[in-house]
Amino acid sequence: MIQDMMRKHKRLFLGIVLVLIVPMFVLWGGSFGMGGTGADPRNVEAVAVVADRPISAEDFRSYLMSERQQRGQFGQAPTLDQMLQDGTAMKALENLVSSEIISEEAEKGKYAFDRDYIVEKIKDKPEFKNDQGQFDPKFWNDIVKRKEIPWNQFYESERQQLARNLVIERAVASARVLDEDLRKQFEENNTSIELKYIGVAPKIEPTEEQIKETYDQNPDAYALPEMRRAEFVAISLVPPKPALADELVQRARAGEDFLALVTEHSTSPTKDSGGDLGWMSDGPIVRPHQKPVFALKKGEVSEPIDGPNGYYIYKVEDERTDPVSNLREVKVREILVAAKLDEAEYTAAKDKANAVQAKAKETGDLRAATTEAGLEVQTSGPFSVETLNIENVPDADARFLRSRLAAVALNEIPESFEAQRNIYVTKVIEVVPAVPQPLESVREKVLENTIARLGSTPEYRQQTAELTQKISASAKSLQDIVTQYPELGATIETLPAFSTKTYDFSKGPMWNPRDVMALAMDKEPGAFIGPINDFTGKTYFVEIVSKTPPDEKMLAEDWPLEQKTLREQALQQEEARRIEDYLAYLREDLMNKGLYDVDNGAFVRALGLVDEEGNPTGDETTADITGAPLTTPPIDMVVTPEAVGTDAAAPATAEGEAATAPAETTAPIEPAPIDDSAASATVTPDPAEPSPAATETVPSEAPAVEEAPVQQ
């Protein structure tokens, strides 16, 4: 029961615990709790100070390390120096500064909320709702009965967050979206263009010394990786197929309008666009549950296919052949029928896995423990930390298995773990050590890495920028680039027709198709456009081959479906602009009053690029930024109202005190339990009850969260 409750309410428990031990920063895209040393922040080096609110070097570095860890999930984690060079460090500081500015405005507003209103807002959190989105008093009472929870502090955290939300709501209140702008956006999204392009990349020819330097920096990276095999038992977490899934397949195959079925029944994010997945071709980036689509003929409907969050039903509406790759492409719509494993079934699976693991660990014999539990032991194929597909393991679970067993010793039985489709109990039965490889055996890979390393240096970026300026001034076509700059060895590539909705990154540059389309919308075929930068920093010039706007059928059928989604997206973007403008105004006002200061030396020291005496620790570019003022947000920083208004607790800061959670010195005023008998199992807050308005003056009856502490 306790495990079930903790699983259901893990976010809430985490929030309650963090209120006690760390200040909370509400950041763009979520909340992040900064671990501290426990020292008074006034005595800790601050990277910036916002209206007497210090942002410690430790908190700044912790934020960066969290960002580094997240980015490491999608490839090699960047170094702090690289995060400085690509602007991540600057953005991190600006995000922390902006968060403090919002908190400062919230405190200046002196917003106060009736306690009952705060309680109702807490009840509205997802942790207290059932699968239908209704408030469930049983979940509420599970929390209320935990006597050790410091409710006064929790109320205060919620009050601060509500006040922050009001600051944001004020900033975005005037945001509006015009219908003509939405129509223009729809036409841009559905306009198809065909391009030719050239990449501007000065040739890199590494010297033998540079190649050897790359190898010597990390020879282990070129070794044949350590290989393992494991025995395992897999206990399924795949939910049963809902009857609705088979019913919808039958109805669609019987001739019912698939689009109408999407609108009525799909729970996919693509529902608002009619389940449209656009044109797809089979390849390595296609998700496993989408693979069966390519076995369908035009007009056919798939069987229900289990995948993330439920069962997918696909219909192929059209097909064509890509003129460049000669691959078959299909135009697809989808229905997602949500499916979720029952809580009792999940608990039973988890308990069974834990029992098998405990027995196997005790005896050292996984097979005996598994047989006793009536389960089947399987054996994996060889795998390393780089293996994508592991024999006898579902592809969706392979990354979990290889990462969890990467450091497990031979014959060890680690803790059971949960993957996407199964819970696993494992035993490593074979370990083949890594085999070092001499430079000559891996020269091709080392050369590739050397070119990549040299291509990321400031010198190479400067060389590319200077060449790009020359091309912009002299070339009028792609052929001009080939003729005028033969040293590039550039070739003209053709990119098949695409729209912003159908762009396939496997067939062209890693650029933002919206950026390309924005440049091309007011141009005619034959136009020469550029430079355009992609996500990796590479530069391109393009020529428009053809441009096809949406036809009348698309305008009649798709515009009504996409209008709502486009309006929501456009409104979010406009609100983000309002927040950016508001933050820029507040930041400038604080600067004029001498209440905003950035310590560039502390900024660089937090990155570990200089020592305490200010001497560079090895990066020659460090000295170039130590005197650069950090006074304005980066132009591409995106701030969203939803991110600022998350449910996480805001920093609890009293005037003249450090931003740490106060000690619980008053008896906590606990919320009342609710009758959770069967008769009231789905009680929801009464929407008819008026919500107490937030005021900018202290009400006659001060909320309990502001009670004076009782001296101990």
Side-chain angles (χ1 to χ4, degrees):
M1 180 64 182
I2 295 298
Q3 288 179 338
D4 294 346
M5 184 173 66
M6 289 294 289
R7 180 170 179 263
K8 175 73 178 179
H9 305 297
K10 60 183 177 182
R11 273 181 46 198
L12 182 63
F13 278 124
L14 179 61
I16 292 172
V17 171
L18 291 179
V19 166
L20 292 176
I21 61 174
V22 293
M24 297 293 293
F25 292 88
V26 178
L27 303 175
W28 326 128
S31 62
F32 183 77
M34 300 299 182
T37 62
D40 186 339
R42 290 169 293 189
N43 299 325
V44 175
E45 183 175 44
V47 177
V49 178
V50 182
D52 294 327
R53 296 169 177 266
I55 298 173
S56 73
E58 182 180 357
D59 287 345
F60 170 60
R61 186 177 176 90
S62 295
Y63 178 88
L64 284 178
M65 296 307 292
S66 176
E67 173 69 17
R68 181 177 184 273
Q69 184 178 13
Q70 292 181 22
R71 289 170 60 178
Q73 296 175 1
F74 305 99
Q76 185 175 0
T79 65
L80 291 179
D81 182 36
Q82 289 170 335
M83 295 174 79
L84 169 66
Q85 298 298 331
D86 67 16
T88 301
M90 191 80 78
K91 291 178 184 178
L93 180 58
E94 289 296 342
N95 285 345
L96 291 169
V97 167
S98 296
S99 180
E100 291 297 345
I101 289 175
I102 295 296
S103 293
E104 173 69 10
E105 286 301 297
E107 290 302 311
K108 285 166 58 178
K110 296 182 179 180
Y111 300 110
F113 304 90
D114 182 271
R115 182 187 298 270
D116 290 340
Y117 178 68
I118 294 177
V119 170
E120 289 304 310
K121 296 299 290 184
I122 295 174
K123 287 180 182 178
D124 195 42
K125 295 179 182 294
E127 289 82 6
F128 298 116
K129 294 181 179 180
N130 58 26
D131 293 341
Q132 288 72 47
Q134 298 174 315
F135 175 74
D136 191 324
K138 291 182 178 179
F139 297 143
W140 174 259
N141 290 341
D142 285 341
I143 300 298
V144 171
K145 293 173 184 176
R146 294 178 62 84
K147 300 298 183 182
E148 68 272 21
I149 292 176
W151 285 103
N152 286 356
Q153 295 175 38
F154 198 48
Y155 292 148
E156 173 62 10
S157 296
E158 186 67 19
R159 182 199 68 78
Q160 291 180 20
Q161 185 57 49
L162 290 171
R164 288 166 61 90
N165 291 349
L166 285 179
V167 173
I168 298 302
E169 288 173 11
R170 280 184 165 186
V172 304
S174 60
R176 297 290 183 273
V177 176
L178 300 178
D179 288 343
E180 53 264 36
D181 291 338
L182 293 180
R183 182 71 173 217
K184 182 180 178 181
Q185 184 65 58
F186 173 80
E187 292 178 359
E188 181 177 310
N189 289 351
N190 291 280
T191 293
S192 176
I193 60 172
E194 183 180 357
L195 300 175
K196 292 181 179 180
Y197 67 92
I198 276 181
V200 178
K203 279 189 176 181
I204 299 175
E205 298 179 350
T207 65
E208 189 63 30
E209 290 75 15
Q210 290 170 329
I211 294 173
K212 188 174 186 305
E213 179 185 0
T214 300
Y215 177 82
D216 289 342
Q217 284 176 351
N218 188 9
D220 290 344
Y222 303 100
L224 294 178
E226 179 181 78
M227 302 297 292
R228 294 165 178 266
R229 287 194 310 124
E231 291 180 341
F232 65 89
V233 57
I235 301 173
S236 177
L237 292 177
V238 178
K241 180 173 60 177
L244 176 62
D246 287 326
E247 177 189 331
L248 292 178
V249 169
Q250 294 175 4
R251 290 167 62 179
R253 289 176 175 175
E256 282 198 42
D257 184 12
F258 197 82
L259 183 57
L261 295 176
V262 171
T263 303
E264 183 178 357
H265 297 289
S266 183
T267 59
S268 170
T270 62
K271 176 180 179 178
D272 289 338
S273 59
D276 186 16
L277 296 179
W279 289 95
M280 302 171 59
S281 60
D282 198 0
I285 66 172
V286 175
R287 303 170 75 183
H289 63 277
Q290 294 177 335
K291 288 285 187 179
V293 164
F294 304 103
L296 300 176
K297 298 178 182 178
K298 180 179 178 180
E300 289 186 340
V301 176
S302 73
E303 293 290 331
I305 303 163
D306 72 281
N309 304 314
Y311 286 77
Y312 292 78
I313 303 167
Y314 299 105
K315 181 176 181 179
V316 171
E317 296 193 328
D318 204 353
E319 60 183 357
R320 68 186 184 190
T321 300
D322 183 284
V324 176
S325 66
N326 206 34
L327 293 175
R328 176 176 178 258
E329 295 183 328
V330 291
K331 193 173 191 302
V332 183
R333 290 190 190 271
E334 70 174 1
I335 298 173
L336 171 59
V337 180
K340 182 179 180 182
L341 196 66
D342 179 82
E343 194 74 19
E345 293 176 311
Y346 170 82
T347 301
K350 190 73 174 176
D351 290 346
K352 179 178 286 188
N354 289 338
V356 171
Q357 190 274 342
K359 184 68 174 178
K361 193 172 184 66
E362 177 185 348
T363 63
D365 190 341
L366 176 61
R367 288 188 173 273
T370 302
T371 302
E372 187 176 321
L375 298 170
E376 177 187 358
V377 171
Q378 301 181 65
T379 302
S380 77
F383 64 90
S384 72
V385 292
E386 301 174 354
T387 305
L388 297 179
N389 309 105
I390 304 175
E391 184 182 355
N392 296 329
V393 177
D395 289 347
D397 290 351
R399 64 185 180 91
F400 295 90
L401 193 79
R402 67 174 186 260
S403 62
R404 292 299 293 266
L405 300 185
V408 175
L410 180 65
N411 294 323
E412 183 179 347
I413 299 174
E415 296 296 319
S416 62
F417 61 89
E418 185 175 328
Q420 185 171 312
R421 299 180 61 83
N422 298 281
I423 300 175
Y424 288 88
V425 182
T426 58
K427 178 180 180 179
V428 175
I429 60 173
E430 183 180 6
V431 177
V432 179
V435 180
Q437 298 292 293
L439 172 58
E440 290 309 313
S441 298
V442 292
R443 171 173 287 274
E444 185 175 339
K445 184 176 181 180
V446 177
L447 176 62
E448 180 182 329
N449 290 344
T450 304
I451 292 173
R453 176 171 65 85
L454 297 176
S456 65
T457 61
E459 294 80 9
Y460 183 80
R461 289 197 293 268
Q462 181 63 31
Q463 181 185 358
T464 303
E466 292 173 355
L467 179 59
T468 299
Q469 290 178 354
K470 291 181 181 179
I471 292 174
S472 296
S474 65
K476 305 300 180 184
S477 68
L478 296 182
Q479 188 57 49
D480 284 350
I481 299 176
V482 174
T483 303
Q484 297 175 13
Y485 301 91
E487 68 275 11
L488 282 176
T491 58
I492 299 175
E493 305 286 346
T494 300
L495 191 61
F498 68 91
S499 70
T500 58
K501 294 165 57 178
T502 63
Y503 186 71
D504 187 345
F505 288 98
S506 68
K507 297 179 180 177
M510 295 292 290
W511 56 31
N512 186 338
R514 293 188 181 280
D515 293 344
V516 180
M517 191 65 69
L519 292 173
M521 279 302 291
D522 60 348
K523 302 291 193 304
E524 297 300 323
F528 177 68
I529 302 172
I532 300 171
N533 293 325
D534 71 4
F535 299 125
T536 67
K538 293 181 180 178
T539 303
Y540 300 87
F541 287 87
V542 305
E543 283 182 9
I544 301 176
V545 176
S546 66
K547 186 167 67 172
T548 307
D551 56 26
E552 292 301 322
K553 180 181 179 182
M554 183 177 293
L555 291 171
E557 295 181 356
D558 293 353
W559 166 243
L561 292 172
E562 295 187 24
Q563 187 174 3
K564 178 182 176 182
T565 300
L566 287 173
R567 185 176 300 279
E568 292 173 351
Q569 293 173 347
L571 184 59
Q572 289 175 3
Q573 293 170 358
E574 182 60 28
E575 289 175 343
R577 283 191 287 269
R578 299 298 171 96
I579 294 173
E580 288 182 19
D581 290 345
Y582 184 53
L583 286 170
Y585 161 74
L586 293 176
R587 185 179 287 104
E588 183 176 359
D589 183 56
L590 288 169
M591 289 178 61
N592 292 336
K593 295 176 180 178
L595 298 176
Y596 173 40
D597 181 57
V598 173
D599 186 333
N600 292 307
F603 174 82
V604 179
R605 285 192 293 276
L607 294 172
L609 302 181
V610 296
D611 58 25
E612 292 298 325
E613 285 72 37
N615 300 314
T617 58
D619 186 282
E620 68 256 11
T621 64
T622 299
D624 298 335
I625 62 95
T626 54
L630 308 178
T631 56
T632 56
I635 58 175
D636 59 345
M637 184 178 77
V638 178
V639 184
T640 63
E642 291 81 357
V644 178
T646 56
D647 288 332
T653 306
E655 183 176 355
E657 295 181 351
T660 55
E664 182 74 17
T665 55
T666 60
I669 301 178
E670 300 171 1
I674 300 172
D675 180 9
D676 58 358
S677 62
S680 59
T682 56
V683 175
T684 58
D686 186 355
E689 291 182 6
S691 298
T695 62
E696 297 192 19
T697 59
V698 179
S700 57
E701 180 180 355
V705 292
E706 297 180 358
E707 291 176 355
V710 177
Q711 298 298 324
Q712 299 294 314

